[in-house]
Amino acid sequence: RSRRAHISRYVESHGLVTYSALWMQGILTFAAGSLIMSAAAFIFMRWIYPDFILDTLRLGVEFYRNESTGAGAELAEEFQAIIDRRLAPSPFTIAMVWMSAIRRRRSVSPASTRPNRSQARETRHMCGAETGRR
């Protein structure tokens, strides 16, 4: 029997789920949540409160102009320039930013977070757990 068949039979008989299945479920849950959030944000900014982005930029200008630091005044000028030049992002652009979170999240996999052999050996040595076996 193959290892895969053995694992499958074990999972079926003991009612357990494999790690990879749970990992995929987490990715799909995150993707579905991103879809829902991006749709909600788009609907809100497109039809419910169309001036949300501009009002938020205006609020930022007001807030940072009252700031006593030079960085605050600089941010206020940048926000005002975005308003004046009509460079504010559209609701669709903001929804796509929400969607881009899926790609960033999926790029982290269990394999990429595991230490390589030399890192694992170094960690065991630093912890005093080096057994001398190679």
Side-chain angles (χ1 to χ4, degrees):
R1 271 191 202 183
S2 71
R3 177 172 161 72
R4 181 176 226 129
H6 177 71
I7 290 173
S8 177
R9 192 180 62 157
Y10 180 82
V11 168
E12 288 173 9
S13 66
H14 295 290
L16 301 174
V17 180
T18 62
Y19 179 77
S20 60
L22 291 174
W23 187 263
M24 181 56 75
Q25 182 180 3
I27 290 172
L28 292 176
T29 301
F30 187 83
S34 292
L35 281 171
I36 293 168
M37 186 58 207
S38 64
F42 178 75
I43 290 168
F44 176 77
M45 289 183 283
R46 177 79 169 106
W47 290 292
I48 297 173
Y49 188 8
D51 291 332
F52 174 76
I53 298 167
L54 287 175
D55 287 349
T56 303
L57 285 169
R58 288 183 190 115
L59 185 65
V61 169
E62 197 176 306
F63 175 78
Y64 286 117
R65 277 199 180 135
N66 295 330
E67 196 68 22
S68 62
T69 63
E74 189 176 321
L75 271 174
E77 288 175 20
E78 287 184 31
F79 286 172
Q80 190 61 52
I82 289 171
I83 294 168
D84 294 342
R85 295 181 187 150
R86 297 184 179 156
L87 295 174
S90 69
F92 180 77
T93 303
I94 292 178
M96 289 301 106
V97 169
W98 278 105
M99 291 302 299
S100 71
I102 293 172
R103 285 194 304 249
R104 279 185 255 135
R105 175 73 174 173
R106 288 181 68 183
S107 66
V108 178
S109 67
S112 67
T113 59
R114 290 186 195 138
N116 61 32
R117 288 183 184 187
S118 64
Q119 289 171 329
R121 193 173 319 133
E122 183 179 323
T123 303
R124 284 194 305 269
H125 178 70
M126 288 172 29
C127 295
E130 190 67 43
T131 59
R133 292 185 297 180
R134 301 267 176 197

